[in-house]
Amino acid sequence: MENVLVAGANGTTGKQVVNLLKNSQYFNPIAMVRKESQLEPFKNENIDTVLGDLTKDLAHVVKDVDKVVFAAGSGGKNVVEVDQEGAKRLIDVSKMANVNKFVMLSSMGANNPEMMPDLKDYLQAKQNADEHLRESNLKYAIIRPGTLKNEEGKGKIEIAENELNKQGEISRADVAQTLVRALHDDAPKNKTFEILEGETLIGEAFEVAMN
């Protein structure tokens, strides 16, 4: 089984990623959290954990890690330091540790932050982090969902490489499933995708997007 570090494991989407990995036959999750108080729920589930602050040195968090999912976020409070520079820090130490693949949770609109003035700073931070990942020489997948909602997942999405040219919503559950699907060796690598809720099973949707 491959060890997968989940940055932002205590977040709403991150928790779902960890649970999917825990129930997978291919992956062993390592939940990365910022505070000691956040460790216990994962330890109670026998999930490996590591303390890591995206604003500080992260070299220790990638020890024995095969792949990384970046699902962290500042919630709009500190987008440059966390969403941008924190992501860059984790990308850099992942490269030094020869991590096999880095799956980035980004955001629809990161291609063109100026189009959404209310979210411009956040989307610019995401764009900068995504660009750093592309230039890192790591194998990667960048997943850019539409507006996130907390409904039950359908396991079906609409996906396009680079841009869907439409807006919409998607459940965090389906985003989490997409992130985990992107970890697999047979999933596309070095690609950027936009995703919304749709009618195509997640595994099939990746295949369609690539053809």
Side-chain angles (χ1 to χ4, degrees), residues 149 152-156 171 173-174 177 197-199 201-202:
K149 56 184 183 178
E152 198 172 315
K154 294 200 254 176
K156 296 179 178 180
S171 70
D174 285 334
Q177 278 203 49
E197 61 187 6
E199 298 303 324
L201 290 168
I202 291 168

Side-chain angles (χ1 to χ4, degrees), residues 5 32 50-53 56-65 89-90 92-94 96-97 99:
L5 179 75
M32 175 178 143
V50 64
L51 275 175
D53 187 330
K56 296 175 181 170
D57 179 64
L58 293 170
H60 66 286
V61 304
V62 288
K63 187 174 181 289
D64 299 324
V65 164
R89 282 186 195 93
L90 190 54
D92 290 346
V93 296
S94 295
M96 290 167 59
V99 162

Side-chain angles (χ1 to χ4, degrees), residues 154-194:
K154 294 200 254 176
K156 296 179 178 180
I157 59 171
E158 184 175 357
I159 189 170
E161 192 176 345
N162 296 321
E163 290 191 57
L164 270 167
N165 295 313
K166 63 192 283 193
Q167 294 183 327
E169 298 180 322
I170 186 167
S171 70
R172 292 177 187 275
D174 285 334
V175 172
Q177 278 203 49
T178 304
L179 294 171
V180 171
R181 183 69 189 85
L183 283 168
H184 287 267
D185 289 332
D186 64 349
K189 63 178 183 289
N190 304 339
K191 302 286 185 184
T192 300
F193 295 101
E194 287 192 346

Side-chain angles (χ1 to χ4, degrees), residues 5 47 107 114 119 127 129 142 161 173 179 211:
L5 179 75
I47 292 167
S107 176
E114 291 78 16
L119 293 171
Q127 184 188 76
I142 296 169
E161 192 176 345
L179 294 171
N211 294 324

Side-chain angles (χ1 to χ4, degrees), residues 11-84:
T12 315
T13 306
K15 281 179 182 171
Q16 296 192 54
V17 171
V18 170
N19 284 332
L20 287 169
L21 294 173
K22 180 181 176 241
N23 294 315
S24 159
Q25 57 184 322
Y26 304 106
F27 304 116
N28 173 58
I30 301 171
M32 175 178 143
V33 295
R34 191 165 54 91
K35 303 175 185 171
E36 293 222 17
S37 60
Q38 297 167 336
L39 292 171
E40 191 173 348
F42 295 106
K43 287 185 172 178
N44 288 342
E45 296 282 330
N46 293 317
I47 292 167
D48 292 337
T49 58
V50 64
L51 275 175
D53 187 330
L54 289 166
T55 66
K56 296 175 181 170
D57 179 64
L58 293 170
H60 66 286
V61 304
V62 288
K63 187 174 181 289
D64 299 324
V65 164
D66 298 298
K67 294 177 179 176
V68 173
V69 174
F70 186 91
S74 64
K77 299 183 186 110
N78 197 1
V79 292
V80 172
E81 191 56 31
V82 175
D83 300 78
Q84 177 179 300

